[in-house]
Amino acid sequence: MYNRTYNFSAGPATMPVPVLEEIRDELLNYRGAGMGVMEMSHRSKVFQTIIDEAEQDLRDLMGIPDNYKVLFIQGGATLQFAMIPMNLMKNGKAIYIETGAWSKKAIAEAKKYGEVNVAASSKDRNYAYIPDCSDLPVEEDTDYVYICENETIHGTTWQKLPDTKGKPLVSDQSSMFLSKPCNVSDYGMIYAGVQKNVGPAGMVIAIIREDLIREDLDPKTPIYMMYKTHADAGSMYNTPNCWAIYVCGKVFKYLKSLGGLTAMQRINEEKAKVMYDFLDSSKMFRGAVDPEFRSLMNIPFVTGDKDLDAEVVAYTKAAGFENLKGHKSVGGLRASTYNAMPKEGVEALVECLKKFEAEH
Ligand SMILES: *Cc1c(COP(=O)(O)O)cnc(C)c1O
């Protein structure tokens, strides 16, 4: 109806059409307020209701316990690479697990603030698997253990969380947020840049256990970069990303209407299976990741021949599928199959790839 393509972008990524339609209908006049949400004071009653409902709907979806704060912070997921060590390194010591490009960036930033022990890495095979973390060298004064739970670029996901021996687990869930149920109390902190699986770019949602929100930070810590600032001000210390909060709130309600995260997991598993079954049966294409660590959200695949990979990208683009070129560090192709990608999109892509294979 809108002449939309199937957009397999890793982020910003495709959004649910019913949500986009609601936003369109409210753009010029939000429910009789006489103005749209992007024109509205963040201190207005109308906006306060929008942010309160967004938080409550997220709490309902994830079953977030009362002793966790939900914070909406600007700066994307990247700002968290610095805020986490700034705020959580009390003894100046943390364990990081290196599973790809995004954990590498987090490690580089954390090293500026303290002692970082990269206790496990999958670098030896270009991050095609998740290393065993059942016996990490956690010490009495280790502040936290850090993972990137779904590596967007490499297409791996953690099946079993590491044993942190009681220390807080900090997880970057940017590219898997709300894709399946999550037991929040297994974590000290979860965060996600919202432009992968939820809403527009430029905001992160941080879910943080209250006892990890400290006041006794280095006095040079910028006020904006203290979790306490955002927790005390209800995410409105300064003007928040009102637009992103509004859109995310709509997506939360939409996910609830579909049956919540249990339903999303079923839908996402069915969708990913269409793609992985094809890759496993194809003579031309293969998945780039060890099968037991395959992501439901980001599916990198290759032919093994760079020129042929480039031909496939051009072929799919001509057939109406967008953003399938793989990240340069992995090569080949990557299909991101976030919550909002319909199963029909993946089925159509598989048909297209089968056709290419038959013709070549
Ligand atoms: C995209 C992404 C980021 C960075 O997000 P920004 O909002 O661009 O800062 C961090 N971590 C993961 C896992 C990502 O997929």
Side-chain angles (χ1 to χ4, degrees):
M1 174 163 60
Y2 300 112
N3 208 15
R4 285 164 62 81
T5 58
Y6 286 122
N7 173 12
F8 287 91
S9 169
T14 193
M15 293 279 296
V17 170
V19 167
L20 295 175
E21 286 174 330
E22 267 187 51
I23 292 166
R24 173 199 61 197
D25 293 345
E26 292 173 350
L27 189 66
L28 280 86
N29 189 346
Y30 177 78
R31 301 185 182 179
M35 63 187 82
V37 175
M38 77 173 93
E39 305 166 288
M40 195 176 274
S41 165
H42 59 297
R43 305 287 175 205
S44 64
K45 246 176 112 172
V46 181
F47 187 75
Q48 189 64 52
T49 305
I50 290 173
I51 191 172
D52 289 346
E53 276 190 29
E55 176 174 342
Q56 191 54 53
D57 286 329
L58 180 64
R59 285 186 176 277
D60 296 347
L61 272 174
M62 293 183 78
I64 300 174
D66 288 344
N67 62 326
Y68 286 74
K69 290 280 189 209
V70 172
L71 309 176
F72 301 101
I73 307 174
Q74 300 181 58
T78 300
L79 187 69
Q80 297 308 304
F81 298 162
M83 276 181 76
I84 288 162
M86 274 177 153
N87 284 267
L88 303 189
M89 274 189 178
K90 195 170 178 171
N91 304 314
K93 269 173 107 169
I95 289 178
Y96 276 66
I97 313 301
E98 184 191 45
T99 52
W102 290 116
S103 37
K104 253 164 76 178
K105 283 192 166 171
I107 289 165
E109 198 78 322
K111 280 182 173 167
K112 296 180 188 169
Y113 300 97
E115 192 185 311
V116 173
N117 180 359
V118 180
S121 167
S122 51
K123 192 177 178 183
D124 59 339
R125 286 203 289 117
N126 198 26
Y127 307 113
Y129 66 103
I130 300 288
D132 175 32
C133 290
S134 52
D135 189 21
L136 292 174
V138 181
E139 295 175 301
E140 197 40 55
D141 58 351
T142 299
D143 288 313
Y144 59 90
V145 176
Y146 180 101
I147 62 169
C148 175
E149 205 168 332
N150 186 83
E151 279 277 4
T152 322
I153 289 173
H154 309 275
T156 54
T157 207
W158 287 71
Q159 302 299 337
K160 187 175 171 288
L161 295 176
D163 180 1
T164 65
K165 300 178 181 162
K167 299 297 178 189
L169 177 64
V170 177
S171 175
D172 178 355
Q173 287 197 351
S174 295
S175 48
M176 60 174 285
F177 196 56
L178 305 181
S179 65
K180 58 183 183 182
C182 168
N183 187 20
V184 176
S185 48
D186 288 343
Y187 302 81
M189 174 177 165
I190 295 166
Y191 74 98
V194 299
Q195 77 276 26
K196 308 287 161 69
N197 218 1
V198 195
M203 188 173 79
V204 77
I205 296 177
I207 301 165
I208 179 169
R209 216 172 61 207
E210 277 168 354
D211 61 285
L212 298 174
I213 300 175
R214 288 167 49 216
E215 240 169 311
D216 58 332
L217 302 180
D218 180 331
K220 287 211 178 101
T221 309
I223 292 170
Y224 191 82
M225 293 182 74
M226 299 168 67
Y227 291 123
K228 188 164 190 326
T229 303
H230 299 277
D232 288 352
S235 297
M236 289 210 263
Y237 170 71
N238 67 335
T239 318
N241 188 335
C242 301
W243 183 252
I245 292 166
Y246 161 69
V247 175
C248 288
K250 292 248 178 247
V251 171
F252 300 154
K253 285 196 195 297
Y254 177 68
L255 297 181
K256 275 175 127 177
S257 78
L258 294 179
L261 301 191
T262 310
M264 289 323 297
Q265 177 169 24
R266 182 177 46 73
I267 294 166
N268 287 325
E269 282 174 352
E270 281 174 16
K271 222 163 44 186
K273 187 173 186 305
V274 173
M275 194 64 202
Y276 286 125
D277 281 353
F278 164 68
L279 294 175
D280 290 342
S281 65
S282 166
K283 292 201 169 57
M284 179 181 275
F285 301 100
R286 63 180 170 78
V289 163
D290 290 5
E292 61 176 308
F293 303 111
R294 284 172 166 175
S295 166
L296 290 181
M297 300 277 99
N298 309 100
I299 308 179
F301 57 103
V302 294
T303 62
D305 173 337
K306 273 197 178 117
D307 296 334
L308 194 58
D309 285 345
E311 240 185 275
V312 189
V313 174
Y315 185 89
T316 54
K317 192 172 167 65
F321 303 93
E322 290 289 338
N323 293 310
L324 281 158
K325 192 173 186 304
H327 190 271
K328 56 185 184 302
S329 61
V330 180
L333 295 93
R334 171 178 49 170
S336 293
T337 52
Y338 295 125
N339 281 353
M341 171 58 65
K343 189 176 172 192
E344 300 81 71
V346 181
E347 287 168 344
L349 174 64
V350 164
E351 282 318 304
C352 177
L353 294 171
K354 277 185 180 163
K355 193 157 164 269
F356 181 92
E357 187 169 342
E359 289 169 10
H360 293 74

